[in-house]
Amino acid sequence: MTKTKITEWSGCPARYAAGIFGDKWCFLIMRDVLLLGRRTYSDFLNSPEGISTNILANRLAKLEDAGILNRKIDPRKASRVCYFPTRKARDLLPTLISMMVWSTVYDETTEAPASFAAAYKSDPAETLAWYEAEIDRVDTEIFNTTV
Amino acid sequence: MTKTKITEWSGCPARYAAGIFGDKWCFLIMRDVLLLGRRTYSDFLNSPEGISTNILANRLAKLEDAGILNRKIDPRKASRVCYFPTRKARDLLPTLISMMVWSTVYDETTEAPASFAAAYKSDPAETLAWYEAEIDRVDTEIFNTTV
DNA sequence: AATTACACTTGCATATTGCAAGGAGAAATT
DNA sequence: AATTTCTCCTTGCAATATGCAAGTGTAATT
């Protein structure tokens, strides 16, 4: 009986997701973009977790290749770059939020208010819509600024 | 202005979750336990992704320390060990499932049927209950076997 | 023209991983 | 009783990935 070893990270849906979530830094960049409104290289770099510059550049390229982030010149300042979440990225919101609900239950040192999990449970769609609107707000705010 | 660097992986709910999900191997072990009914060391070892023995031992210990897996002697064979999911682990099911739904949408080589995502969207609670029941079934099957 | 801001890249020491081999304890086989 | 097998790791070592500090190139600012 030969044991086949998998090298392609697609096929199995959990394995495919592990390609993004199974990396600490990709994971935190997704949090920054989807939940915290961060968009630029320096935004990510200044996150309190302290990602180093080579890893950040590497992960941003990886996420762009995966069709999750969209790299664009910042209209507010042409020497700066913004990374915008695609639809594929936005569709990760339910996953991220459900993960956060879990964390608020099991991390006794959580900084998130208990109301967060409660609000999500009572009306998941509304919570989701709120985050989507926030993403829109941040993105249009950047593009409505005249140079 | 001093930049504080975070070393503790709790506090922020996304960061806390990254402690489990932000590792490819922990992630896949959770899939094995929660969705594929795998419970023993050799089950995990024989997963097609091909985890090596040192990493497997390391991650099992990590997940046990985190209160996610429960290590017990296999009643079917006393020389063997089973790793059972705790309630904390089971509560990750919604997250895992929502991740799989995302993957079935965006991985064009997915092996999962399209009906999976549809079924989940039409009745999430039922899908969830089905997986919970499966976990119960596997666990009681192990414990109802007389040596 | 010189300085600053920004997004990287490079080099190197350190940490983590992957792979193959080994080992210890219990059970099954001879 | 001795040997083999099964199971769960541990160890050693090479390969890879990461963290950190410094440097590079381009665009804005002064």
Side-chain angles (χ1 to χ4, degrees):
Chain A
M1 187 186 135
T2 42
K3 199 175 104 187
T4 318
K5 189 172 158 183
I6 296 279
T7 44
E8 258 310 315
W9 287 85
S10 60
C12 165
R15 202 166 55 225
Y16 183 79
I20 305 304
F21 282 108
D23 177 88
K24 192 174 76 173
W25 296 119
C26 283
F27 188 100
L28 291 169
I29 291 169
M30 294 316 294
R31 174 204 62 178
D32 284 356
V33 170
L34 292 173
L35 307 172
L36 301 178
R38 296 183 180 136
R39 292 291 181 273
T40 70
Y41 187 91
S42 28
D43 284 344
F44 305 131
L45 202 62
N46 292 327
S47 286
E49 287 84 11
I51 188 170
S52 46
T53 57
N54 54 346
I55 303 296
L56 176 55
N58 176 276
R59 295 304 193 277
L60 287 174
K62 184 182 163 185
L63 290 169
E64 202 195 349
D65 287 349
I68 287 177
L69 294 181
N70 217 329
R71 194 181 186 280
K72 283 181 187 168
I73 301 296
D74 192 330
R76 298 169 301 187
K77 195 174 187 185
S79 68
R80 192 164 48 189
V81 174
C82 284
Y83 296 89
F84 295 101
T86 63
R87 174 40 54 190
K88 185 174 178 180
R90 283 163 177 253
D91 284 349
L92 284 170
L93 267 174
T95 303
L96 262 180
I97 294 171
S98 97
M99 221 176 270
M100 287 167 66
V101 170
W102 179 80
S103 296
T104 59
V105 173
Y106 290 105
D107 179 11
E108 66 277 358
T109 70
T110 190
E111 296 151 5
S115 60
F116 173 78
Y120 179 69
K121 270 174 193 168
S122 79
D123 194 344
E126 197 197 27
T127 304
L128 203 56
W130 188 86
Y131 278 107
E132 289 262 7
E134 267 298 294
I135 292 171
D136 285 335
R137 197 185 58 72
V138 171
D139 288 3
T140 59
E141 188 180 300
I142 290 175
F143 277 102
N144 287 346
T145 311
T146 35
V147 193
Chain B
M1 187 184 136
T2 41
K3 196 175 108 187
T4 318
K5 189 173 159 183
I6 296 278
T7 45
E8 259 308 315
W9 287 85
S10 60
C12 164
R15 202 166 55 224
Y16 183 78
I20 305 304
F21 281 108
D23 177 89
K24 191 175 77 172
W25 296 118
C26 283
F27 188 100
L28 291 168
I29 291 169
M30 293 316 292
R31 174 204 61 177
D32 285 356
V33 170
L34 293 174
L35 307 173
L36 301 177
R38 296 183 180 135
R39 292 291 181 275
T40 69
Y41 187 91
S42 26
D43 284 344
F44 305 131
L45 203 61
N46 293 327
S47 286
E49 288 84 12
I51 188 170
S52 45
T53 57
N54 52 347
I55 303 295
L56 177 55
N58 175 277
R59 295 306 192 276
L60 288 173
K62 184 182 164 185
L63 290 169
E64 202 195 350
D65 287 349
I68 287 178
L69 295 180
N70 218 328
R71 195 180 187 279
K72 282 182 188 168
I73 302 297
D74 191 330
R76 299 168 301 184
K77 196 175 188 184
S79 66
R80 193 164 47 190
V81 173
C82 284
Y83 297 88
F84 295 102
T86 62
R87 174 40 54 190
K88 185 174 179 179
R90 283 163 177 254
D91 284 348
L92 284 171
L93 267 175
T95 302
L96 263 180
I97 293 171
S98 95
M99 221 176 271
M100 287 167 66
V101 170
W102 178 81
S103 297
T104 60
V105 174
Y106 289 106
D107 179 10
E108 66 277 357
T109 71
T110 189
E111 296 152 6
S115 60
F116 173 78
Y120 180 67
K121 271 175 194 168
S122 79
D123 195 343
E126 197 198 27
T127 304
L128 202 56
W130 189 85
Y131 279 107
E132 288 262 9
E134 267 298 295
I135 292 170
D136 286 336
R137 197 185 58 73
V138 171
D139 288 3
T140 59
E141 187 180 301
I142 291 174
F143 276 102
N144 286 348
T145 312
T146 34
V147 194

